[in-house]
Amino acid sequence: MTLRAIDADNWHACVKLTVTEEQKENVAENAVSLAQAAYEKQWYPHGIYVEDTIVGFLMFGTDQETKRVEVCRFMIDKQHQGKGYGKAALMKLFDLIKIRYGAISFYTSIVPKNHIARKLYESAGFSMTGEVMWEELVMMKQIV
């Protein structure tokens, strides 16, 4: 598995990725995230690849309001869910974050009813902070 920056060569494949109907209310569409990254330069969109197949998308960076480094978008395409790609991608992301930022507190947030995302993030070492921002539950992992 690799994480590859989204660019002119792979953006179209990225926007074709989708989640299940039930998951659509939990995550922004990838096209919206790419537009955000085009105008808010603190965000870094990446495709999640297994060999040469894009199976998911994530975006990380520094939130301007909180000044925290976070993963603000994370999804695995509905055809590739249940294969362990989510956790593997988070492990790759942690390596990338450590290289880019060093040892830091790293954040994410989830829609309260998204129990699958919570379980995934907890299995990767995130824990609940007790904070609620943007009507979402905030989670944190210490990158060492």
Side-chain angles (χ1 to χ4, degrees):
M1 175 170 289
T2 57
L3 302 180
R4 300 180 195 170
I6 299 296
D7 58 21
D9 294 326
N10 62 2
W11 75 269
H12 195 259
C14 177
V15 298
K16 286 184 172 181
L17 299 172
T18 188
V19 293
T20 65
E21 283 301 315
E22 303 80 39
Q23 295 169 326
K24 286 186 177 183
E25 62 189 34
N26 298 332
V27 65
E29 298 230 2
N30 294 347
V32 172
S33 297
L34 294 181
Q36 182 180 7
Y39 293 101
E40 298 177 12
K41 299 300 183 184
Q42 75 272 17
W43 297 115
Y44 303 99
H46 284 69
I48 301 166
Y49 282 81
V50 173
E51 297 178 9
D52 285 325
T53 301
I54 188 169
V55 299
F57 171 76
L58 62 83
M59 188 164 78
F60 68 89
T62 304
D63 181 85
Q64 293 301 298
E65 182 180 338
T66 65
K67 306 300 183 211
R68 294 174 174 171
V69 178
E70 64 181 42
V71 57
C72 66
R73 301 289 193 285
F74 186 85
M75 63 83 71
I76 301 296
D77 184 81
K78 65 183 177 185
Q79 295 181 353
H80 298 285
Q81 293 179 11
K83 299 177 182 179
Y85 295 158
K87 187 171 181 181
L90 287 172
M91 296 300 123
K92 291 288 186 184
L93 177 59
F94 298 155
D95 292 341
L96 182 59
I97 294 300
K98 185 170 183 175
I99 291 166
R100 187 176 193 100
Y101 300 99
I104 62 165
S105 296
F106 186 55
Y107 292 85
T108 194
S109 63
I110 59 167
V111 173
K113 66 181 178 180
N114 192 348
H115 304 293
I116 293 171
R118 180 176 179 163
K119 183 178 176 184
L120 170 65
Y121 286 125
E122 287 176 341
S123 76
F126 281 92
S127 57
M128 302 302 282
T129 67
E131 294 175 87
V132 177
M133 296 187 75
W134 315 290
E135 299 179 18
E136 294 186 1
L137 306 176
V138 178
M139 302 181 82
M140 188 271 293
K141 175 182 173 54
Q142 194 64 41
I143 304 291
V144 293

